[in-house]
Amino acid sequence: MDNAWWRSAVIYQVYVRSFADGNGDGTGDLAGVRARLRYLADLGVDALWFSPWYPSPMADGGYDVADYRDIDPAYGTLDQAEQLIAEAKELGLRTIVDIVPNHVSDQHAWFRAALDAAPGSPARQRFWFRPGRGPGGAEPPNDWSSIFGGSAWTRTKNADGTPGEWYLHLFAPEQPDLNWTHPLVWHEHEQILRFWFDRGAAGVRIDSAGLLAKHADLPDVDPAHAPGQHVHTDRDEVHDIYRSWRRLADGYPEPRALIGEIWLPDLERLARYLRPGELHTVFNFDFLACPWEPARLRESIERSLHFHERVDAPATWVLSNHDVTRPVTRYGRADTSFAFETKRAGTASDLVLGERRARAAALLMLALPGSAYIYQGEELGLPEVEDLAPERIQDPMHFRSGGVDPGRDGSRVPVPWSGAAPPYGFSPDGATGDTWLPQPTTWAGLTVEAQQRDPASTLRLYRAALRIRKARPALGEGALTWLDAPPDVLAFRRGDDIACVVNLSAEPVGLPAHEEVLLASADLDDGRLGPDAAVWLRLPTTDKGWSTR
């Protein structure tokens, strides 16, 4: 068994609520996932990452966890989760579970006990409770802002109804932050890791992994802070947590993988999480957020590989997830980059152009050294759903921004499987209720069923790419060598005889000498690669065509 499988794996993100509905209530569940495991195995991925499936009030799509050792009843039972992990393993699919260590739900037993306890009590010390500033403590304890907008503090009420202390939440008020200086918080999370590892989970994805450590004095934000000294992001002491987790993960016969979600623009700081004895991989958000521009993409790839090589860790490549505008929509805009701060409703997108670029981006991503992530529906070329009725929107990012941010629900609309009208096979035949988020009436051509019949479909492109990648180990971990290429064209060699060429120019371009076209994101025109297209080539073993540099 390959104990370093995660170095070159292709991992598929399952957002259970929107993947497949097994019981007909309009919400995805574990029964639906189990019924579709063969689809995932046939797609050609190596592992499944499940977004939180725990009991949750759903104030933030399941990232407000009430109990880390159970399954939300809307999704099924713990027994079903264990069966799913075992059945997936039989099909060659490892399971990665989502851990949310920065905060819990306000319905978690710990926080309910803290609210019932007096200021200064042991129950409150597992969180960040503080008196307010100003007359009567009416102002928050500091100037920290929530990532979802507004203050990062909410005031409690005392038993007699009078205003009480404030508590910290870097996300929604329903997600109180844990105090990682408390030994019980450390112990609890180590036990949670063991709970899932003992049930067969091959690894964990760590949500908001750079936020756990806070400045003990909770001072106001200092814009001139030194690296590692921000009041709540990427503090140096957070690494002690992951060194402890790594020792635990390495204690299993097949070491478990630790995968961090860390949004940091400084790749040198990001690489610190990958030093020996810490995390195995982290998400590469620099690549995800990069615009569809040749110089920027090449710079992102080169910088990513450079910093990962320094710590002997594989780079990861990702185009989207449950928080991010889908590539088909994003790449069809004038600004093809991604940033939460600039998301706005009503931004125009050319979906035909976006689809062409997204297909090319998929071949680029899957040809790069390291591991890759596919978010459910990406393999179908689903666009972002941007016309959800206001009363159907559930994402707190939308509400806490005062409606300025359209929210993330548009990337979470249920997957279309078959048929010509909603729910497109997402729910079983005979289901009468709506899906939890409405599906567009224009998705009949995007269903799995329709795309399986179409040789030119995005689904068929992904299946072919993953089949080739699995058959040719040089497309996984290993070196990348850039090739001389025309302006605005990215071209590189993997191994001795495979090249990836991506044309980001406005005109068709010729290709280097090659023996075979392995796969192309768009039809070639008289042997030339059109704009916004990518191709994988088998090169001659003696003549490399374009010179290397």
Side-chain angles (χ1 to χ4, degrees):
M1 185 171 289
D2 182 6
N3 284 346
W5 60 271
W6 38 268
R7 295 189 70 95
S8 60
V10 177
I11 299 168
Y12 187 96
Q13 181 188 356
V14 180
Y15 191 78
V16 176
R17 200 178 187 187
S18 298
F19 187 71
D21 169 19
N23 64 8
D25 65 359
T27 296
D29 49 39
L30 300 189
V33 177
R34 291 172 66 192
R36 303 289 186 178
L37 281 176
R38 174 54 63 183
Y39 165 81
L40 295 168
D42 290 345
L43 182 61
V45 298
D46 302 298
L48 308 177
W49 154 35
F50 289 90
S51 295
W53 52 16
Y54 314 109
S56 168
M58 291 293 173
D60 181 26
Y63 283 86
D64 48 319
V65 179
D67 183 352
Y68 290 88
R69 295 179 178 84
D70 204 352
I71 299 296
D72 193 290
Y75 299 151
T77 66
L78 183 58
D79 284 345
Q80 287 179 312
E82 293 173 352
Q83 291 167 0
L84 190 161
I85 293 170
E87 291 166 4
K89 187 175 182 180
E90 290 177 0
L91 292 172
L93 299 169
R94 290 177 167 90
T95 295
I96 297 165
V97 299
D98 216 314
I99 298 295
V100 189
N102 179 69
H103 49 264
V104 296
S105 166
D106 62 354
Q107 300 304 307
H108 190 282
W110 277 13
F111 192 69
R112 302 312 301 170
L115 289 180
D116 291 340
S121 64
R124 290 202 169 188
Q125 291 171 8
R126 293 176 289 197
F127 299 91
W128 296 99
F129 283 86
R130 292 292 185 274
R133 297 193 290 193
E139 298 296 325
N142 62 32
D143 66 354
W144 296 8
S145 296
S146 164
I147 293 167
F148 286 172
S151 174
W153 294 91
T154 290
R155 197 170 193 183
T156 65
K157 286 186 178 181
N158 296 320
D160 61 4
T162 59
E165 290 188 312
W166 298 72
Y167 69 88
L168 176 68
H169 52 86
L170 289 181
F171 293 89
E174 296 87 353
Q175 296 168 286
D177 278 40
L178 290 163
N179 177 3
W180 272 89
T181 68
H182 198 295
L184 282 181
V185 174
W186 280 65
H187 177 75
E188 171 69 0
H189 280 80
E190 290 181 353
Q191 296 309 305
I192 291 167
L193 292 177
R194 291 188 186 280
F195 182 88
W196 289 106
F197 291 162
D198 290 349
R199 281 160 177 76
V204 293
R205 178 265 191 186
I206 307 161
D207 182 71
S208 301
L211 302 181
L212 277 58
K214 277 81 171 176
H215 192 300
D217 297 332
L218 303 182
D220 287 347
V221 176
D222 176 7
H225 67 85
Q229 295 301 310
H230 187 279
V231 289
H232 62 61
T233 300
D234 185 38
R235 291 185 61 80
D236 287 339
E237 54 265 38
V238 77
H239 297 277
D240 293 337
I241 298 169
Y242 299 129
R243 281 189 282 268
S244 172
W245 287 17
R246 179 63 177 266
R247 290 191 292 271
L248 188 157
D250 285 350
Y252 284 80
E254 180 186 1
R256 287 3 186 193
L258 304 178
I259 302 160
E261 183 211 24
I262 305 169
W263 288 83
L264 282 179
D266 185 338
L267 291 183
E268 187 164 5
R269 293 290 305 180
L270 186 69
R272 289 167 55 85
Y273 290 82
L274 298 168
R275 292 173 297 186
E278 296 195 38
L279 304 181
H280 295 91
T281 66
V282 294
F283 286 106
N284 187 348
F285 292 117
D286 184 79
F287 180 76
L288 178 152
C290 191
W292 186 249
E293 298 172 9
R296 296 281 297 278
L297 281 167
R298 176 160 176 164
E299 178 187 22
S300 178
I301 293 167
E302 289 181 335
R303 291 177 67 236
S304 297
L305 293 176
H306 170 71
F307 285 109
H308 283 79
E309 287 168 358
R310 285 174 54 181
V311 289
D312 189 30
T316 64
W317 310 101
V318 56
L319 298 177
S320 67
N321 60 37
H322 63 289
D323 289 333
V324 174
T325 305
R326 285 194 177 272
V328 167
T329 299
R330 190 168 80 243
Y331 287 141
R333 290 179 170 157
D335 180 1
T336 54
S337 64
F338 177 81
F340 287 108
E341 297 80 7
T342 59
K343 281 185 67 178
R344 295 294 181 269
T347 305
S349 179
D350 180 343
L351 296 183
V352 174
L353 176 62
E355 180 184 16
R356 185 176 177 89
R357 288 173 170 173
R359 288 167 60 93
L363 292 195
L364 170 62
M365 174 183 76
L366 292 171
L368 293 170
S371 59
Y373 286 79
I374 298 170
Y375 174 49
Q376 64 181 43
E378 191 177 304
E379 80 278 16
L380 303 176
L382 297 184
E384 188 86 354
V385 179
E386 300 190 289
D387 59 354
L388 292 170
E391 64 272 14
R392 299 298 297 270
I393 295 175
Q394 301 189 26
D395 185 14
M397 288 191 80
H398 172 72
F399 299 111
R400 288 183 63 83
S401 71
V404 173
D405 187 326
R408 301 162 294 174
D409 289 341
S411 65
R412 304 173 179 184
V413 171
V415 169
W417 292 93
S418 60
Y424 299 113
F426 172 77
S427 296
D429 292 343
T432 57
D434 292 338
T435 53
W436 76 276
L437 285 174
Q439 299 163 304
T441 58
T442 56
W443 274 12
L446 296 176
T447 67
V448 172
E449 179 182 59
Q451 295 201 41
Q452 286 179 154
R453 296 193 300 261
D454 180 4
S457 71
T458 298
L459 175 58
R460 295 281 288 268
L461 177 74
Y462 267 83
R463 282 182 173 169
L466 293 170
R467 182 176 63 253
I468 294 169
R469 180 183 165 107
K470 190 162 289 188
R472 295 176 177 269
L475 282 171
E477 190 184 7
L480 175 152
T481 304
W482 291 103
L483 303 174
D484 283 326
D488 296 335
V489 173
L490 298 180
F492 54 86
R493 192 178 74 234
R494 301 297 317 284
D496 292 330
D497 65 345
I498 301 173
C500 176
V501 181
V502 187
N503 181 11
L504 292 98
S505 74
E507 302 294 335
V509 296
L511 296 172
H514 57 276
E515 294 190 351
E516 181 183 1
V517 173
L518 297 174
L519 187 62
S521 66
D523 290 338
L524 302 182
D525 182 5
D526 193 25
R528 295 167 66 81
L529 183 65
D532 298 308
V535 64
W536 290 356
L537 304 172
R538 183 166 64 85
L539 300 176
T541 55
T542 55
D543 179 11
K544 296 297 188 289
W546 292 339
S547 63
T548 62
R549 58 184 171 95

